[in-house]
Amino acid sequence: MGSNSSRIGDLPKNEYLKKLSGTESVSENDPFWNQLLSFSFPGHINLCVENNPRTGNLGALIKVFLSRTKELKLSAECQNHIFIWQTHNALFIICCLLKVFICEMSEEELQLHFTYEEKSPGNYSSDSEDLLEELLCCLMQLITDIPLLDITYEISVEAISTMVVFLSCQLFHKEVLRQSISHKYLMRGPCLPYTSKLVKTLLYNFIRQEKPPPPGAHVFPQQSDGGGLLYGLASGVATGLWTVFTLGGVGSKAAASPELSSPLANQSLLLLLVLANLTDASDVPNPYRQAIMSFKNTQDSSPFPSSIPHAFQINFNSLYTALCEQQTSDQATLLLYTLLHQNSNIRTYMLARTDMENLVLPILEILYHVEERNSHHVYMALIILLILTEDDGFNRSIHEVILKNITWYSERVLTEISLGSLLILVVIRTVQYNMTRTRDKYLHTNCLAALANMSAQFRSLHQYAAQRIISLFSLLSKKHNKVLEQATQSLRGSLSSNDVPLPDYAQDLNVIEEVIRMMLEIINSCLTNSLHHNPNLVYALLYKRDLFEQFRTHPSFQDIMQNIDLVITFFSSRLLQAGAELSVERVLEIIKQGVVALPKDRLKKFPELKFKYVEEEQPEEFFIPYVWSLVYNSAVGLYWNPQAIQLFTMDSD
């Protein structure tokens, strides 16, 4: 290459790029490919798309790449920097081309570009090899078999990114794809044996969070005279790998990619989520989801049942640590949800941990900063809590974990509080935020379901947690009274005018009464199962006892109010006997003494409150757009044209 081509402004004049995108066919054995792959290019993509059906140059480039990957492992062992660098450049060009092809044409047209065989210009052979399937298998083999070294880091990232691009046809369809070429390749044929190995590698990439090598660490040493053009180009790939393509302006996205400590871990996690959420084929279940559902701990020596395909083992302790540390991102929270919900081995392991605060605290922090999070991230965090609270052992153990100085909780200084009380505080805060802002019934239901699951095991509630439980009931009570008043006024208005449509206050009233009943059931569950452990809740109940008066005779709450009314009456009588102007300490002392004297047989037994998370009937309608929105916003260096995206609305959260 001439030195003039080293400047970005001169790239359109580059003879090798012109030849790639031109009308002349280039043999896969032509020395041209070595010359081209020693250059970092950003453009000429559209011309290549236009001319490739006549030239088949893309197919020749893929064959060059396929032949090189056979020697890649040996090149890594021999530290052959130039060979790996050129192979990486080949894959980078393929990825760029593939992305544009997928955006601009159907899968059938795309396949034609990959099945070209040179016979005569524009002629396709019916028995031509399927380079697309061969490329995909090669990528899976590269990801799983090439050792991760400084010199192979970027080609590993590029291989994963290319697989993401290969599956990105979903972005350009409004409906969830249930049958596609990508499904056929990934779920059958030569790619299928790589399933468990690929899932395991992607998980380990996430676990290890390997940072990219420092600039220049993976290329040949710089010469003392400054290195010349060859070093400059290699260094350019090293330092600007994921931004170079945007110089060409092909489908570039204006928003800057977030800074990531490990691009490899990020891309691996995104690809793993994409694979896990592929829809089942008509006759074959998604093998990647099967692998995620069934893998076991490396310390588990029991044999895998023969009925479980794609099984493997992984270090659960390392995975747990990585999940705890990475919960600031949507994709890590979605992975945690996926594993807890679908893999019983992981769920059992996590619930048996004695350091659950390391996992729960990041989830609570997501919910606490609800204003700064997108709704999907909040939902995932909340569902994770709901799944955890299905376990009685978890509900007991969280009250035994004492935390000190929770700095991110700003409403009140919490110098010492149990994990259970903190969880209650954050969930109640989420409910109150939802009541005043989003008013999402689904979020309400899941928050209250988590509290209900915990209620029978409430232990030594912090006084502030007890206060917030009653404060939430107070807020609901006020809202109930307001809606009831509006409904009454509306009814009066309807008697004088039949022309004006009236708001459906009856429905609003029904919803708020359902929530109030659930809160009463939560309070009742605590009183009947663990009254002696919760003097602070009894104190808060007595302090706000007037709130409950209006619900004593209400037909919707009369049964559940019996126990609450009994507790209020019993302890109010004991406080009255103790005299006036009692200190807080004296009131708590009287409550603790009274708990022993309260006849437990007078408390009516109700069915245990237990709510299980049940996934929607068609979860893919939610998860597939969500996963691809994460890919669009989080993938390193993969820039799609926002005008071409069909799967989700670009300005949504």
Side-chain angles (χ1 to χ4, degrees):
M1 295 182 189
S3 59
N4 289 338
S5 295
S6 64
R7 296 195 303 272
I8 293 297
D10 291 332
L11 286 175
K13 303 173 187 175
N14 183 271
E15 294 302 319
Y16 301 111
L17 294 177
K18 283 183 178 180
K19 190 170 183 177
L20 172 70
S21 55
T23 58
E24 177 188 350
S25 295
V26 184
S27 166
E28 62 193 88
N29 299 315
D30 197 304
F32 158 81
W33 296 111
N34 277 338
Q35 295 161 335
L36 172 71
L37 298 180
S38 295
F39 194 84
S40 176
F41 88 113
H44 289 258
I45 300 297
N46 289 330
L47 279 174
C48 191
V49 172
E50 181 181 338
N51 292 324
N52 187 66
R54 292 190 296 277
T55 65
N57 285 342
L58 175 60
L61 174 59
I62 290 172
K63 288 180 180 179
V64 169
F65 172 74
L66 293 175
S67 67
R68 282 173 167 268
T69 55
K70 294 172 184 175
E71 303 174 45
L72 201 56
K73 195 169 184 179
L74 180 61
S75 298
E77 293 171 359
C78 298
Q79 296 285 303
N80 190 337
H81 298 73
I82 295 179
F83 185 89
I84 293 172
W85 166 54
Q86 290 179 336
T87 308
H88 166 265
N89 278 358
L91 182 55
F92 177 62
I93 295 171
I94 291 167
C95 184
C96 294
L97 289 168
L98 183 61
K99 185 171 60 167
V100 176
F101 279 39
I102 286 174
C103 179
E104 296 189 359
M105 61 188 67
S106 68
E107 282 194 313
E108 290 73 21
E109 292 173 303
L110 174 68
Q111 201 167 23
L112 288 177
H113 281 271
F114 281 81
T115 53
Y116 177 84
E117 280 202 350
E118 185 178 354
K119 291 197 173 182
S120 60
N123 184 30
Y124 293 87
S125 171
S126 59
D127 60 347
S128 59
E129 59 189 322
D130 192 338
L131 284 177
L132 202 56
E133 183 173 40
E134 195 174 343
L135 173 63
L136 190 57
C137 287
C138 180
L139 291 173
M140 296 173 83
Q141 190 173 11
L142 193 160
I143 294 166
T144 56
D145 292 352
I146 300 302
L148 188 61
L149 309 168
D150 278 359
I151 59 173
T152 60
Y153 187 95
E154 287 175 356
I155 196 169
S156 298
V157 174
E158 202 64 54
I160 293 168
S161 298
T162 306
M163 279 199 69
V164 172
V165 168
F166 178 79
L167 294 162
S168 67
C169 52
Q170 175 65 80
L171 277 172
F172 310 105
H173 292 79
K174 287 185 178 179
E175 305 298 325
V176 169
L177 290 179
R178 299 181 186 278
Q179 290 185 340
S180 70
I181 292 172
S182 60
H183 284 65
K184 181 185 76 173
Y185 291 147
L186 287 167
M187 297 188 188
R188 298 179 177 84
C191 291
L192 191 61
Y194 290 99
T195 297
S196 59
K197 201 171 182 182
L198 178 63
V199 172
K200 183 176 182 177
T201 301
L202 295 175
L203 276 172
Y204 267 126
N205 286 346
F206 168 73
I207 288 169
R208 289 170 180 148
Q209 294 289 316
E210 291 281 357
K211 295 181 179 180
H218 60 304
V219 295
F220 28 85
Q222 185 171 2
Q223 303 299 314
S224 58
D225 62 355
L229 175 64
L230 190 60
Y231 172 78
L233 291 174
S235 183
V237 173
T239 58
L241 171 68
W242 297 291
T243 57
V244 65
F245 187 48
T246 63
L247 296 170
V250 183
S252 58
K253 188 172 66 171
S257 295
E259 290 187 11
L260 296 165
S261 61
S262 177
L264 179 65
N266 182 71
Q267 304 294 83
S268 296
L269 178 51
L270 291 172
L271 176 57
L272 182 64
L273 292 172
V274 169
L275 292 171
N277 286 281
L278 291 174
T279 56
D280 295 334
S282 57
D283 57 339
V284 180
N286 178 349
Y288 304 92
R289 188 183 301 123
Q290 286 184 316
I292 286 170
M293 290 172 66
S294 58
F295 71 83
K296 299 194 305 184
N297 196 351
T298 49
Q299 296 181 356
D300 187 344
S301 58
S302 62
F304 281 102
S306 57
S307 60
I308 297 180
H310 316 298
F312 64 92
Q313 290 178 289
I314 205 165
N315 188 307
F316 277 14
N317 182 61
S318 300
L319 178 57
Y320 178 81
T321 301
L323 286 166
C324 293
E325 292 174 349
Q326 299 299 322
Q327 285 308 307
T328 52
S329 73
D330 279 70
Q331 47 266 40
T333 305
L334 181 54
L335 175 64
L336 174 57
Y337 157 78
T338 302
L339 296 177
L340 271 176
H341 177 53
Q342 298 185 1
N343 190 314
S344 59
N345 300 319
I346 278 281
R347 186 167 59 252
T348 301
Y349 174 84
M350 288 187 176
L351 288 169
R353 294 282 302 207
T354 57
D355 59 348
M356 276 297 289
E357 67 272 17
N358 292 336
L359 185 68
V360 175
L361 281 172
I363 299 300
L364 294 184
E365 199 167 350
I366 293 168
L367 291 175
Y368 185 78
H369 296 295
V370 60
E371 303 93 337
E372 303 166 17
R373 305 289 182 180
N374 69 67
S375 58
H376 290 158
H377 200 182
V378 171
Y379 283 144
M380 289 299 100
L382 193 53
I383 292 169
I384 287 167
L385 287 186
L386 180 56
I387 292 171
L388 292 174
T389 61
E390 291 171 13
D391 183 76
D392 286 342
F394 171 83
N395 295 331
R396 284 190 296 270
S397 65
I398 55 175
H399 293 286
E400 298 167 3
V401 178
I402 305 302
L403 308 168
K404 296 182 184 296
N405 300 317
I406 308 300
T407 54
W408 48 261
Y409 193 95
S410 59
E411 273 87 346
R412 178 166 171 160
V413 176
L414 299 175
T415 54
E416 187 172 289
I417 189 171
S418 71
L419 179 59
S421 288
L422 181 63
L423 196 158
I424 292 166
L425 284 175
V426 173
V427 171
I428 286 175
R429 184 180 183 275
T430 307
V431 173
Q432 291 178 325
Y433 174 84
N434 186 52
M435 285 177 65
T436 56
R437 305 283 183 86
T438 54
R439 299 181 181 180
D440 186 325
K441 185 181 178 182
Y442 179 81
L443 192 145
H444 252 29
T445 302
N446 284 285
C447 282
L448 294 173
L451 289 175
N453 285 346
M454 295 167 59
S455 59
Q457 277 86 33
F458 282 172
R459 294 289 188 276
S460 304
L461 289 184
H462 192 281
Q463 63 180 40
Y464 186 52
Q467 289 170 17
R468 299 311 295 164
I469 291 172
I470 305 305
S471 293
L472 176 57
F473 185 81
S474 175
L475 187 64
L476 292 167
S477 177
K478 290 175 183 176
K479 190 167 182 63
H480 178 268
N481 292 340
K482 183 179 178 180
V483 173
L484 191 60
E485 184 181 347
Q486 289 172 332
T488 304
Q489 291 176 352
S490 175
L491 186 61
R492 288 173 185 159
S494 67
L495 297 175
S496 58
S497 173
N498 295 323
D499 301 327
V500 182
L502 299 172
D504 190 2
Y505 289 114
Q507 184 177 357
D508 290 347
L509 200 61
N510 184 54
V511 170
I512 196 70
E513 287 185 354
E514 284 181 9
V515 177
I516 286 174
R517 176 163 183 97
M518 202 161 178
M519 276 303 300
L520 288 172
E521 288 177 340
I522 290 167
I523 295 169
N524 178 72
S525 174
C526 176
L527 296 178
T528 54
N529 290 285
S530 54
L531 178 65
H532 55 296
H533 290 297
N534 292 291
N536 284 327
L537 181 62
V538 177
Y539 183 99
L541 201 63
L542 294 172
Y543 191 74
K544 292 283 187 177
R545 53 181 172 261
D546 293 345
L547 280 174
F548 298 89
E549 280 294 325
Q550 61 177 308
F551 300 108
R552 290 176 64 187
T553 57
H554 194 292
S556 298
F557 314 118
Q558 209 167 9
D559 59 335
I560 206 74
M561 275 299 301
Q562 288 180 24
N563 288 341
I564 297 172
D565 191 37
L566 173 64
V567 169
I568 290 173
T569 303
F570 177 83
F571 285 100
S572 295
S573 173
R574 294 184 74 89
L575 291 176
L576 192 61
Q577 294 171 15
E581 298 183 7
L582 300 173
S583 66
V584 173
E585 292 75 14
R586 178 59 182 146
V587 172
L588 285 171
E589 185 183 340
I590 293 168
I591 290 171
K592 290 173 184 176
Q593 294 169 350
V595 164
V596 180
L598 178 67
K600 303 295 187 296
D601 57 340
R602 292 178 57 189
L603 293 173
K604 182 181 177 182
K605 290 290 183 183
F606 286 86
E608 184 182 10
L609 293 179
K610 272 298 169 190
F611 293 88
K612 288 184 70 69
Y613 167 67
V614 179
E615 208 167 54
E616 299 292 330
E617 288 186 8
Q618 292 185 308
E620 64 274 9
E621 298 292 340
F622 168 82
F623 285 104
I624 289 178
Y626 180 32
V627 168
W628 278 106
S629 71
L630 296 180
V631 173
Y632 179 85
N633 290 308
S634 308
V636 180
L638 296 180
Y639 304 94
W640 285 279
N641 182 358
Q643 277 71 45
I645 305 298
Q646 297 290 319
L647 183 61
F648 49 83
T649 306
M650 295 308 306
D651 59 355
S652 68
D653 62 4

